[in-house]
Amino acid sequence: MGRTIGIDLGTTNSCIAFSDGGHPTVIQSKSGSRVMPSVVAFSAKGERLVGLVARRQAITNPKNTVNSIKRLMGRRYAEVSNQINDVSYEIVENGNGDAAVRIMDRIYTPPEISAIILQQLKLTAEEFLGEEVTDAVITVPAYFNEIQREATKAAGKIAGFNVKRVLNEPTAAALAFLEPQGKKKLVVYDFGGGTFDVSVLQVIEGVFEVKATLGNTTLGGDDLDTKLVQWIMSEFKSETGIDLSRDNIAPQRVREAAERAKCELSMTHETDINLPFIATGESGPVHLEITVTRNLFEELAGNLIHETIPLCKDALDDAGMKIEDIDHVVLVGGSTRIPMVQKLVEEFFKKKPAQSVNPDEVVALGAAIESSVLTGQRKDLVLIDVTPLTLGVETLGGVLAPIIKRNSPIPTRNSRIFTTASDNQSVVGVHVAQGEREIIDGNRSLGTFELRGITAAKRGEPRIEVVFEIDASGILNVSARDTTTGQEQSIKVNPSGGLSGHDIERLRKEAAANAEADKIRLRFVAIRNEADEVIYKASKSLKVAREELDKESWTELENELKKLKTLRDEEDPLAIEKAIAVVRQLNSSVSKLVEVFESDEENATSEFLNSISKVEGEGNSAK
Ligand code: AMP
């Protein structure tokens, strides 16, 4: 077996490190570079270029130069086609709905392109270490779902690595930053080229536990560049009347210059952009010369940078911590070099972010430390990760009953007891979903299965235990068991089930925006469920009463029951509640007379799984 290395496969740059006796060191290329641009290009002769050489020729060969491939990893074409429009290469659908890249009539999947980057990193490591490198720990954003993680693993395999672990970037940063001894709480604020995420971690005597992680997978340094590009182009247009966005090569040149200017503005207050021969006007070549100040950049991009702060607050809330509890704030990712980012983070956390780490290298160093844990060189560390969204099942009325809450440490197991919604119901449908909305429709469906052969019993009597179990690699197993008969059914689902980080963020935002509306709908669902319960009981006593009692003792109940049945489907909760109270009272008297007294006590469980069919074969399908 050869060496194991840690790889930070970044959107913009990648970095590798190895561990010697448990101490991590960054691996440099022959030319002394400690990071490599994550760029792949194909020349007209079909030659492959990787890293700095690929980036250097991007201006003259934009269509065949692929950058930021990480943004396409494990994503569906439909998701990215509208979202990613700032790249110069062609994004296509690869025939099965996944996003891919077309270069000179050949389609490359994102893992193939990433594999080219990884192969180059493998070569660099082998040159540096003077021995074969076979194994790797590769980092991914905490928000990557299972499919994106699998795609990253696939890229590693294509490149010839045995991928020993796919590790979350913030966890890697924490591993590199903190000594395992003692008890510390820290925040990792990671603002890179394509994504932002923030994680809250706690370390107690070598156990690194992620308490919460949140992010926005569509917010990164590239978006800040876009703001600057738009401003430069509009200034140029108002001065010269020339629209650079319609040119083939100019937008790429402006983007590169804007990024360079942005980076310079992290050190100086003012910088010049000079792009000679950027266009041809009526009287010959036109040059672009413009001065950008830090103030202007902050005005243009400030709103986007500010968007990261509420996520920090939410992550702390999710972790059950206050600002004062945090011992360290670690900055990761190139965009954290921006002075405004550092200032906002310091103001929010009331603490200077740690200065001792290099934001470009800390993740690779952490991955190298993890590799030394996996190879047994270090035995003083344990990692505990979390699941990013709530998981649960659909119950009657289309409500999500949570079983595993978001940010629960994995591996984890939890169960809840449910029951049937109709008499003699022999089948229940178990619909598994993921998301933060209380109403099922707003969440992501992960799969459905049926539990059959439930013993004939009155509605609400059977006890069906639904168990959710997530293993260390994040795979969810759901089982449902009739506790009387022992009948059991289960499925394995992928907790991210094709959810992209973008989806996760969208679901989170939608949940917050719809919380009020959901509450109203939930109230309706609860009232209608209660109405059904009362209608069921009253109908039962009426049936007996009709046979055994004088008409006048049950007519009123019959009339009020009719009213309740009509009202049940109307949008007037107060009227339904009133009608429920009236029927309940009348039914109590009638049922006592006919001795079918129904206790109003709640059943041990009052959560009804959605019915697939009342009686097997009837096909009364669930919504
Ligand atoms: P990463 O994904 O961590 O490699 O971060 C890359 C992003 O950081 C890109 O958008 C870069 O433009 C940005 N970046 C790198 N250095 C600086 C800097 N000095 N100032 C501002 N942004 C930077």
Side-chain angles (χ1 to χ4, degrees):
M1 191 184 77
R3 263 268 194 195
T4 308
I5 57 166
I7 304 177
D8 170 9
L9 181 61
T11 311
T12 323
N13 292 305
S14 294
C15 182
I16 45 177
F18 76 106
S19 196
D20 204 4
H23 297 288
T25 309
V26 168
I27 294 173
Q28 297 183 23
S29 71
K30 264 205 250 169
S31 58
S33 310
R34 295 167 74 85
V35 294
M36 183 187 87
S38 307
V39 183
V40 175
F42 300 82
S43 75
K45 288 187 222 146
E47 202 187 355
R48 270 191 204 167
L49 305 168
V50 191
L52 203 56
V53 278
R55 199 167 78 178
R56 281 207 189 114
Q57 55 81 70
I59 288 177
T60 51
N61 185 24
K63 289 207 171 336
N64 303 320
T65 304
V66 185
N67 56 10
S68 301
I69 192 65
K70 191 167 169 181
R71 290 160 74 191
L72 298 185
M73 290 288 274
R75 308 279 307 273
R76 307 287 288 168
Y77 175 72
E79 281 170 2
V80 299
S81 55
N82 292 326
Q83 197 193 23
I84 302 182
N85 40 30
D86 54 357
V87 292
S88 48
Y89 51 90
E90 190 186 359
I91 300 175
V92 294
E93 199 246 282
N94 77 345
N96 64 5
D98 290 337
V101 173
R102 189 189 344 246
I103 305 282
M104 296 185 275
D105 289 337
R106 199 193 136 178
I107 291 180
Y108 292 86
T109 63
E112 278 176 279
I113 300 284
S114 294
I116 298 173
I117 299 168
L118 288 169
Q119 259 167 340
Q120 184 63 40
L121 295 171
K122 190 168 183 279
L123 274 177
T124 305
E126 287 173 347
E127 270 170 10
F128 182 88
L129 295 167
E131 60 182 295
E132 197 191 1
V133 173
T134 51
D135 297 359
V137 170
I138 307 180
T139 60
V140 291
Y143 251 53
F144 256 24
N145 66 40
E146 194 58 25
I147 291 169
Q148 292 169 299
R149 283 163 202 264
E150 281 301 329
T152 307
K153 256 191 188 171
K157 260 194 203 158
I158 299 169
F161 281 114
N162 165 28
V163 181
K164 297 189 87 168
R165 178 144 186 194
V166 171
L167 177 68
N168 285 342
E169 288 160 7
T171 317
L175 279 178
F177 174 74
L178 274 187
E179 285 302 320
Q181 298 79 23
K183 186 174 168 181
K184 289 273 173 339
K185 295 187 171 106
L186 87 158
V187 165
V188 177
Y189 176 102
D190 182 352
F191 198 8
T195 58
F196 166 74
D197 48 76
V198 54
S199 303
V200 183
L201 295 98
Q202 176 174 285
V203 183
I204 303 178
E205 302 303 345
V207 179
F208 283 69
E209 188 173 353
V210 182
K211 288 293 189 184
T213 187
L214 281 179
N216 182 345
T217 46
T218 57
L219 175 63
D222 295 352
D223 303 291
L224 311 183
D225 299 345
T226 302
K227 291 280 178 195
L228 213 43
V229 168
Q230 286 165 347
W231 177 80
I232 295 167
M233 289 200 180
S234 100
E235 287 291 298
F236 187 78
K237 193 172 174 194
S238 57
E239 243 177 59
T240 64
I242 300 172
D243 182 0
L244 291 177
S245 65
R246 295 177 33 192
D247 190 81
N248 270 343
I249 289 183
Q252 182 63 22
R253 283 183 72 192
V254 175
R255 179 162 283 278
E256 288 221 340
E259 194 201 351
R260 240 187 343 262
K262 173 190 75 174
C263 295
E264 279 165 18
L265 290 174
S266 295
M267 286 172 295
T268 63
H269 283 268
E270 195 175 295
T271 185
D272 294 328
I273 294 177
N274 288 309
L275 294 171
F277 305 99
I278 190 81
T280 311
E282 279 164 12
S283 49
V286 187
H287 314 297
L288 188 156
E289 283 169 14
I290 209 162
T291 300
V292 195
T293 63
R294 189 186 286 177
N295 278 348
L296 174 79
F297 171 67
E298 291 181 353
E299 237 171 70
L300 295 170
N303 280 352
L304 293 179
I305 297 174
H306 271 278
E307 277 182 28
T308 63
I309 299 300
L311 290 166
C312 296
K313 187 178 174 320
D314 291 352
L316 276 181
D317 288 349
D318 278 3
M321 289 184 202
K322 295 196 225 46
I323 287 170
E324 307 78 78
D325 298 333
I326 302 301
D327 299 298
H328 303 285
V329 179
V330 179
L331 299 181
V332 179
S335 300
T336 60
R337 289 215 164 85
I338 298 170
M340 187 186 194
V341 170
Q342 296 176 358
K343 183 166 152 271
L344 286 180
V345 171
E346 181 174 343
E347 275 171 11
F348 178 74
F349 287 103
K350 300 191 177 73
K351 187 167 273 91
K352 245 195 170 1
Q355 301 292 321
S356 60
V357 292
N358 179 335
D360 296 328
E361 298 178 356
V362 65
V363 170
L365 291 171
I369 294 178
E370 176 63 4
S371 76
S372 61
V373 173
L374 296 174
T375 51
Q377 284 181 53
R378 282 188 74 158
K379 297 197 163 57
D380 55 341
L381 301 171
V382 179
L383 293 182
I384 300 174
D385 246 319
V386 293
T387 178
L389 283 170
T390 298
L391 292 151
V393 292
E394 177 177 2
T395 53
L396 198 63
V399 177
L400 178 79
I403 297 188
I404 294 179
K405 292 269 194 190
R406 84 173 147 152
N407 282 325
S408 298
I410 54 171
T412 185
R413 180 186 192 276
N414 201 17
S415 67
R416 271 176 87 163
I417 300 285
F418 297 89
T419 190
T420 50
S422 327
D423 286 347
N424 299 323
Q425 185 177 328
S426 59
V427 184
V428 285
V430 181
H431 176 197
V432 182
Q434 182 176 36
E436 300 313 308
R437 297 277 298 276
E438 292 180 81
I439 295 295
I440 200 85
D441 292 346
N443 296 305
R444 175 68 180 242
S445 173
L446 297 181
T448 306
F449 67 97
E450 292 177 6
L451 177 65
R452 295 181 164 264
I454 295 167
T455 335
K458 281 201 286 186
R459 131 199 180 103
E461 278 184 357
R463 290 171 63 82
I464 297 153
E465 186 185 29
V466 177
V467 181
F468 275 41
E469 218 165 352
I470 305 181
D471 66 18
S473 3
I475 305 296
L476 172 69
N477 191 70
V478 179
S479 64
R481 191 174 67 93
D482 177 352
T483 55
T484 319
T485 61
Q487 280 283 349
E488 186 168 334
Q489 258 318 315
S490 65
I491 49 166
K492 250 192 199 332
V493 269
N494 184 328
S496 319
L499 274 185
S500 66
H502 179 64
D503 273 342
I504 294 175
E505 184 50 24
R506 178 179 53 77
L507 289 173
R508 228 183 57 77
K509 278 193 183 144
E510 277 175 16
N514 289 297
E516 244 346 275
D518 280 0
K519 256 192 210 130
I520 296 169
R521 261 187 79 187
L522 276 181
R523 185 163 168 234
F524 261 114
V525 169
I527 291 171
R528 286 195 178 125
N529 282 350
E530 196 183 342
D532 288 346
E533 182 79 10
V534 171
I535 291 170
Y536 167 80
K537 285 175 179 172
S539 309
K540 213 162 161 190
S541 28
L542 252 183
K543 190 169 170 241
V544 186
R546 279 198 193 100
E547 287 162 11
E548 295 185 7
L549 301 178
D550 295 340
K551 205 170 177 205
E552 53 274 23
S553 56
W554 50 263
T555 323
E556 202 181 351
L557 175 61
E558 187 179 61
N559 292 338
E560 292 302 325
L561 182 61
K562 241 186 231 158
K563 277 191 213 159
L564 175 60
K565 281 181 178 170
T566 317
L567 275 173
R568 182 214 176 272
D569 294 319
E570 282 172 21
E571 303 292 308
D572 186 349
L574 284 179
I576 306 175
E577 271 176 341
K578 258 193 209 158
I580 288 174
V582 171
V583 172
R584 192 174 262 152
Q585 207 189 4
L586 291 170
N587 182 48
S588 168
S589 323
V590 173
S591 59
K592 266 180 204 155
L593 290 175
V594 291
E595 291 179 343
V596 286
F597 178 66
E598 292 278 357
S599 160
D600 261 349
E601 259 176 46
E602 283 290 302
N603 282 298
T605 171
S606 56
E607 289 196 289
F608 303 101
L609 283 170
N610 247 0
S611 133
I612 288 272
S613 62
K614 285 186 173 171
V615 179
E616 273 191 79
E618 264 184 22
N620 192 7
S621 61
K623 55 182 276 291

